[in-house]
Amino acid sequence: MSGGSFLFSGFRVLGLYSNHVPHVIRYHKKHREFYLVTAVGKCFHTYNVNRLGIVAVSNTLSDDITCLAADRMLVFAASGQVISAFARNKEVIMHYHGHRQEVRVLLPLGEQLISADSGGDVIVWDVQGGDVYLRLQFDPNTFDVSAMMHPSTYLNKVLLGSSQGALQLWNIKTSKLLFTFSGWSAGVTALQQSPAVDVVGVGTATGRIIIHNIRIDETLMIFTQDWGPVSSLAFRTDGPPIVASSSPQGHIAFWDLVRRQLVAQQRHAHSTAVASATFLHGEPLLITNGADNAIKVWIFDQEGGEARLLRSRQGHSAPPTTIRHHGNDGKNILSAGQDGTLQSFSTVHERFNKNLGHGSINKKKAHKKNKGLLYEELRLPAIIAFSSAATRQSDWDGIVACHRGRLAATTWNYQRCTMGAHHLQPPSVRRDIVATAVDITSCGNFVLIGSSCGRVDVYNLQSGLHRGCYGDDYKAHSSAIQGVATDTLNQVTLTTGSDLLLKFWRFKSRKQEEQLKLNATPASMILHRESGMLALALHDFTLLVVDIETRRVVRKFSGHRGKINDMTFSPDGRWLITGAMDCTIRTWDLPSGCLVDCFLVAMAPVSMSLSPTGDFLATAHVDSLGTYLWTNKSLCGPVGLRPLPADYLPAVETLPGVTADEHEQEVKSEEADDAYKSAEQLGVELVTLSLLPESRWKSLLHLDEIKRRNKPVAPPVAPAAAPFFLPTTPGFTPRFASPTTTEQEAQSKVLTWGLLSQNSEFSSALLSALESGSFEHPLRLLKDCGPSALSIEFRSLTSEGSGTNAHLLAFIHMIDSMLSSGRDFDLAHAYLALFLKLHLQLLSQDALAMVALLRLSSRLEAGWTELRALFDQSLCLLSYTKSALL
């Protein structure tokens, strides 16, 4: 048995903005706005430069995007050996097949698209038809195409740069090599047209920037950067003669073309290689993106020609390790990554994202070192665990984090988006001891920190002072602490360690009250304070749930086949959701003690958090930079959760933002066909509702009032009917003649009785059902009608509406059939009420109809008596459950 997730559905991914693929800038003439296109795995994102707000997300390709290009109408993306053309930044409208190796360079040129692969093939495509216009073959050993550009005003000309250093100028229309430039004994990494005609910028693998005139083959000037190869070049077009060069180390240099010298540099513009840098045409703005998952807009308004950061969108440059929701509204997710940064992602809009930065050993020294000395020496290692509380975050720091290989825990301020003032470290402890677990109390005044030597220390968050520790000889456990937690009222403290013990302490006196012996070493621990349920993940891949009131193990779950990385409770404490290295995410129902949902993901989840409102599940995965959101289906509609069998085989759920291929969709559709379907009626003794909207039947008895309320103040005035040939009156000025009164009254507007005397489809189906005894067809017709249409159908059952007494009797039998079957209970009563309101006086004169109505009345009385008994029994049991002391 297999299937997808019954409880969660992929929604979107947070914190993914860019990778190593160079970006593309587009200008929309109608909107008069620049747009930025960046690749993110198998799709690309489109942002407006003014606000860096995301505009569109493209459909997913079968492989990762290797290069991007764009013209006035289309965006071209290469993935593997295939090039795809996207319209409206989203839909694929054309595929270009023909390359035998991976495509790495794209260049749109008018109605053609030029592409080059790693095997030496350069193909010129017809953009509209998708045909190959020209194919050029190069030997990668002698001329390996590494860059391309179209020289301005050079019609049908393309300049190709090679990794061997030579350049070639080709005419793609005549397929002729026009000129070969010998190069500068270094591979060409970047080609860029300058604002001056005939002059191009060439970036090399040795870090040289050559400004060269290709018409006379003369080098005008040469610059050299000390940071390695030139990854991209960009020329300013708003006035100052500046060229920008970027490097793999994340630095950007700005060179003055008039004074021929370096005028400014932007160090650490990106933490990794700068993929591309582009100046906006006619504006002092520089757009950069890099492999550090960042997009940045720089503005040149400083003295001396320096740039400052204007706006940015930045995620983690290394996979996140721990994510937690911050606050009670569930709109912000704190994320700590392997890059050492602590960031906050908003589920509402990206403009609410916050970057709390990278921790430092000494903030004052770090600012001084940043001006000239090495900053890496003062940077703190990655965060391995943290705890946050929004209760007193406006008064003092509300986040405490433990770092890899360090004893001192750091505090962070969420509102100021910076590292806090305290380094929490216990006195007189060996240097080889490290902090392993942390928890902030519900009041936000204290923090408990566990260490690898078995200590559990208490600190005051406002002052940062040490307030004591648990256990004799300053040790709560004989081995490393794996988890700490406190209850809602700060009465009980819970600690667990590698010594297989779970201990209960008094928070204020710090005296041990009780302990539980575990069957295996605990890996992690989480407490749901509202319900008092404590979950422990053990190294034998099992889960224990402990009630902190009775201090007994109340549930034990097994089923994971890998290390359990993280756990989270639902807001009401009913579900426990776990993720493990076996790539499964499982949901356990605590009241029933069963597994109710399980699904596979492509990458193992390392951390997860369910929002306090229960609407989204956030997960972080191995080797992934994003935070993935899953929608809780139970908040959107009824979800039937059943205990899953032991042999349940979960299906793979694609991560949000990734579309499954056609084969996976076919497999899922076949599995959906085999899924469990609820019966139309669970039991004969029960009644079943119709599931139709209340507006279909609840307002049937108030139609007259609704019509009277919606009646217009004045009736609409019909325009005077004009003949095809309009008559005119004689005279110098031509005027149309108005029709006489007799002509208007000549045509009668009263319809004949023959046009209205036809039976409706429902009336005919009702008589047929009376003979056959099955009323499914007329009932189906009534379900498709609105309240006004139902009123018309019921009125037409009498002789005044082309009906007969047989129609009335057939309708009574239909209601009797609905009540006897127990289905559509609400519709039967609503239809009967409207029927009696319209035809009660006429029915009282028909003897057969009265007999049928008396039989129907007795059935109604018996059914309601039985239903009322069930209601009374349920209410009595509910009242006892609420008031009894169990």
Side-chain angles (χ1 to χ4, degrees):
M1 182 178 179
S2 62
S5 175
F6 305 107
L7 195 56
F8 297 104
S9 175
F11 177 57
R12 61 174 297 198
V13 59
L14 303 176
L16 283 182
Y17 300 105
S18 174
N19 58 10
H20 64 281
V21 178
H23 67 258
V24 175
I25 297 294
R26 304 181 66 193
Y27 181 73
H28 199 289
K29 291 185 178 180
K30 184 178 180 180
H31 297 169
R32 296 183 179 180
E33 190 173 10
F34 287 97
Y35 289 95
L36 170 70
V37 181
T38 60
V40 180
K42 299 180 181 180
C43 64
F44 63 83
H45 296 176
T46 304
Y47 302 87
N48 50 17
V49 177
N50 289 339
R51 297 175 298 276
L52 278 188
I54 189 165
V55 175
V57 178
S58 72
N59 294 336
T60 306
L61 299 177
S62 59
D63 203 354
D64 289 341
I65 296 176
T66 56
C67 58
L68 286 171
D71 61 7
R72 187 175 60 89
M73 298 296 296
L74 302 175
V75 176
F76 303 97
S79 58
Q81 304 173 10
V82 182
I83 305 171
S84 303
F86 291 81
R88 294 177 291 277
N89 298 315
K90 184 175 182 179
E91 302 170 358
V92 178
I93 62 171
M94 182 71 71
H95 291 289
Y96 305 93
H97 300 273
H99 284 282
R100 293 182 288 270
Q101 299 292 333
E102 181 181 280
V103 180
R104 59 185 184 185
V105 183
L106 291 175
L107 177 65
L109 182 59
E111 299 297 328
Q112 283 81 33
L113 172 68
I114 308 172
S115 60
D117 60 22
S118 58
D121 288 345
V122 176
I123 302 178
V124 181
W125 307 87
D126 179 25
V127 173
Q128 298 297 329
D131 302 326
V132 176
Y133 179 80
L134 175 65
R135 181 187 292 269
L136 301 176
Q137 297 283 344
F138 295 93
D139 185 4
N141 298 322
T142 59
F143 194 88
D144 184 19
V145 179
S146 57
M148 284 192 302
M149 65 155 289
H150 166 60
S152 181
T153 71
Y154 283 56
L155 186 63
N156 300 323
K157 310 298 190 299
V158 175
L159 182 64
L160 305 179
S162 66
S163 57
Q164 287 79 13
L167 289 86
Q168 294 183 2
L169 184 64
W170 284 80
N171 188 320
I172 61 173
K173 187 174 183 179
T174 60
S175 182
K176 289 183 179 181
L177 174 62
L178 303 180
F179 193 79
T180 300
F181 303 89
S182 58
W184 298 268
S185 302
V188 177
T189 57
L191 288 174
Q192 184 64 37
Q193 173 70 50
S194 72
V197 181
D198 304 327
V199 179
V200 300
V202 182
T204 64
T206 58
R208 288 194 296 175
I209 301 101
I210 297 100
I211 309 300
H212 192 76
N213 189 313
I214 60 175
R215 178 176 289 274
I216 61 177
D217 191 16
E218 179 183 351
T219 299
L220 304 180
M221 61 192 75
I222 297 178
F223 306 107
T224 303
Q225 66 177 18
D226 300 330
W227 307 317
V230 178
S231 59
S232 67
L233 289 174
F235 289 88
R236 285 188 67 174
T237 57
D238 61 319
I242 301 294
V243 60
S245 63
S246 58
S247 69
Q249 298 184 14
H251 310 315
I252 303 175
F254 303 100
W255 311 86
D256 193 316
L257 299 177
V258 175
R259 292 183 291 174
R260 302 191 177 188
Q261 64 180 12
L262 179 69
V263 294
Q265 56 182 345
Q266 194 70 41
R267 288 181 173 268
H268 304 288
H270 290 267
S271 59
T272 58
V274 179
S276 181
T278 307
F279 279 104
L280 293 187
H281 183 73
E283 296 186 23
L285 297 178
L286 177 69
I287 314 296
T288 62
N289 78 300
D292 58 349
N293 192 21
I295 303 170
K296 297 184 178 181
V297 180
W298 309 85
I299 184 170
F300 291 82
D301 58 356
Q302 304 290 312
E303 295 183 1
E306 295 184 356
R308 66 177 177 89
L309 184 63
L310 179 62
R311 63 182 69 93
S312 66
R313 290 285 182 264
Q314 186 170 2
H316 286 292
S317 59
T321 57
T322 307
I323 58 174
R324 293 290 182 268
H325 278 86
H326 180 72
N328 297 323
D329 55 1
K331 296 179 180 179
N332 299 296
I333 301 174
L334 284 173
S335 175
Q338 296 179 12
D339 55 356
T341 61
L342 182 63
Q343 302 192 32
S344 172
F345 298 105
S346 172
T347 60
V348 179
H349 197 276
E350 293 174 342
R351 66 174 178 267
F352 301 122
N353 291 355
K354 295 183 178 181
N355 189 348
L356 279 70
H358 202 298
S360 59
I361 297 176
N362 191 311
K363 293 176 63 177
K364 295 182 179 180
K365 289 184 179 180
H367 287 296
K368 293 180 181 179
K369 290 255 182 183
N370 194 25
K371 295 182 179 179
L373 301 177
L374 292 177
Y375 176 65
E376 298 292 336
E377 299 176 0
L378 296 177
R379 298 183 72 177
L380 287 172
I383 296 174
I384 59 173
F386 68 86
S387 179
S388 68
T391 309
R392 304 297 297 271
Q393 67 176 2
S394 59
D395 301 323
W396 50 76
D397 300 338
I399 304 173
V400 180
C402 300
H403 297 263
R404 181 182 292 116
R406 286 187 56 83
L407 174 61
T410 56
T411 61
W412 301 74
N413 193 290
Y414 184 81
Q415 291 190 340
R416 294 200 303 266
C417 299
T418 182
M419 184 178 171
H422 305 303
H423 286 257
L424 308 178
Q425 181 173 345
S428 62
V429 178
R430 302 194 315 269
R431 292 187 176 182
D432 59 339
I433 305 301
V434 297
T436 57
V438 61
D439 185 56
I440 298 178
T441 58
S442 60
C443 62
N445 294 313
F446 301 97
V447 59
L448 284 74
I449 301 176
S451 59
S452 58
C453 65
R455 289 178 60 111
V456 177
D457 297 276
V458 184
Y459 299 87
N460 184 281
L461 266 180
Q462 182 180 8
S463 61
L465 298 178
H466 185 264
R467 293 303 187 189
C469 59
Y470 289 83
D472 300 330
D473 299 329
Y474 305 105
K475 283 191 176 182
H477 290 264
S478 59
S479 57
I481 302 296
Q482 299 297 330
V484 294
T486 58
D487 66 345
T488 307
L489 301 177
N490 289 353
Q491 298 294 320
V492 180
T493 300
L494 303 104
T495 62
T496 184
S498 300
D499 54 0
L500 307 183
L501 293 177
L502 171 64
K503 295 186 178 182
F504 299 83
W505 311 79
R506 298 303 298 176
F507 177 80
K508 188 174 183 180
S509 62
R510 295 187 286 277
K511 300 297 183 181
Q512 181 179 344
E513 292 186 339
E514 197 171 346
Q515 68 181 24
L516 290 178
K517 182 71 174 180
L518 305 178
N519 297 328
T521 306
S524 60
M525 181 178 75
I526 183 173
L527 173 66
H528 187 261
R529 287 173 173 166
E530 288 75 11
S531 64
M533 292 297 167
L534 178 75
L536 295 103
L538 307 182
H539 278 292
D540 61 354
F541 312 150
T542 60
L543 293 160
L544 297 181
V545 179
V546 179
D547 187 350
I548 65 173
E549 294 294 333
T550 61
R551 299 178 182 179
R552 294 292 182 267
V553 177
V554 295
R555 290 291 184 270
K556 182 177 181 180
F557 302 114
S558 61
H560 281 292
R561 299 181 180 179
K563 177 189 174 183
I564 301 174
N565 292 327
D566 204 1
M567 306 173 290
T568 181
F569 278 99
S570 61
D572 57 359
R574 181 181 181 90
W575 296 332
L576 176 64
I577 306 170
T578 58
M581 291 302 295
D582 58 0
C583 296
T584 61
I585 297 178
R586 300 172 182 258
T587 303
W588 313 85
D589 187 69
L590 297 187
S592 63
C594 298
L595 176 68
V596 294
D597 188 55
C598 178
F599 62 94
L600 283 168
V601 288
M603 297 173 288
V606 295
S607 185
M608 57 178 52
S609 176
L610 189 63
S611 63
T613 55
D615 50 357
F616 291 115
L617 171 68
T619 60
H621 298 263
V622 173
D623 297 333
S624 178
L625 301 180
T627 300
Y628 297 89
L629 294 183
W630 307 80
T631 305
N632 186 357
K633 297 181 184 178
S634 64
L635 298 183
C636 305
V639 176
L641 296 179
R642 297 175 294 116
L644 300 180
D647 59 346
Y648 181 78
L649 299 177
V652 177
E653 285 283 347
T654 55
L655 293 177
V658 179
T659 305
D661 56 22
E662 295 180 358
H663 173 69
E664 292 180 352
Q665 292 178 355
E666 291 176 359
V667 172
K668 286 190 176 183
S669 62
E670 293 176 358
E671 293 173 353
D673 294 338
D674 298 336
Y676 173 78
K677 295 183 179 179
S678 176
E680 294 185 358
Q681 191 171 10
L682 299 180
V684 182
E685 71 281 359
L686 302 177
V687 294
T688 306
L689 301 182
S690 62
L691 299 182
L692 287 181
E694 291 186 354
S695 58
R696 288 290 189 91
W697 54 270
K698 209 169 185 179
S699 58
L700 288 179
L701 294 179
H702 309 285
L703 287 178
D704 296 337
E705 182 180 350
I706 295 174
K707 291 180 180 179
R708 185 167 55 254
R709 184 180 58 194
N710 297 337
K711 185 178 180 180
V713 178
V717 179
F724 185 78
F725 296 102
L726 299 179
T728 58
T729 58
F732 293 99
T733 303
R735 295 180 180 178
F736 296 109
S738 58
T740 60
T741 307
T742 57
E743 293 176 353
Q744 294 181 357
E745 296 177 354
Q747 183 179 0
S748 175
K749 296 183 179 180
V750 179
L751 297 178
T752 60
W753 177 251
L755 297 176
L756 299 176
S757 61
Q758 300 177 359
N759 289 333
S760 64
E761 184 181 0
F762 168 71
S763 301
S764 303
L766 195 61
L767 292 179
S768 302
L770 182 61
E771 299 175 358
S772 61
S774 176
F775 294 91
E776 292 291 336
H777 181 52
L779 182 59
R780 195 181 315 112
L781 295 175
L782 289 182
K783 288 183 178 180
D784 295 336
C785 297
S788 298
L790 286 174
S791 177
I792 295 175
E793 292 288 355
F794 289 0
R795 292 177 187 273
S796 64
L797 295 178
T798 61
S799 57
E800 297 178 356
S802 74
T804 60
N805 292 344
H807 288 88
L808 300 177
L809 186 61
F811 187 87
I812 297 174
H813 283 292
M814 184 186 73
I815 300 297
D816 186 64
S817 174
M818 295 171 64
L819 294 176
S820 62
S821 63
R823 293 166 54 185
D824 301 320
F825 190 76
D826 48 353
L827 292 185
H829 285 74
Y831 291 169
L832 181 60
L834 180 60
F835 177 76
L836 294 179
K837 179 182 178 181
L838 296 176
H839 309 301
L840 183 59
Q841 183 177 1
L842 184 61
L843 290 172
S844 61
Q845 303 173 3
D846 191 343
L848 294 178
M850 289 301 298
V851 173
L853 285 176
L854 290 175
R855 185 170 61 252
L856 183 61
S857 176
S858 60
R859 186 182 296 277
L860 279 171
E861 186 67 26
W864 175 245
T865 302
E866 183 179 355
L867 193 60
R868 184 170 53 187
L870 294 176
F871 282 154
D872 293 342
Q873 182 181 1
S874 301
L875 291 174
C876 181
L877 180 61
L878 181 61
S879 176
Y880 172 75
T881 306
K882 293 172 61 177
S883 60
L885 183 61
L886 299 179

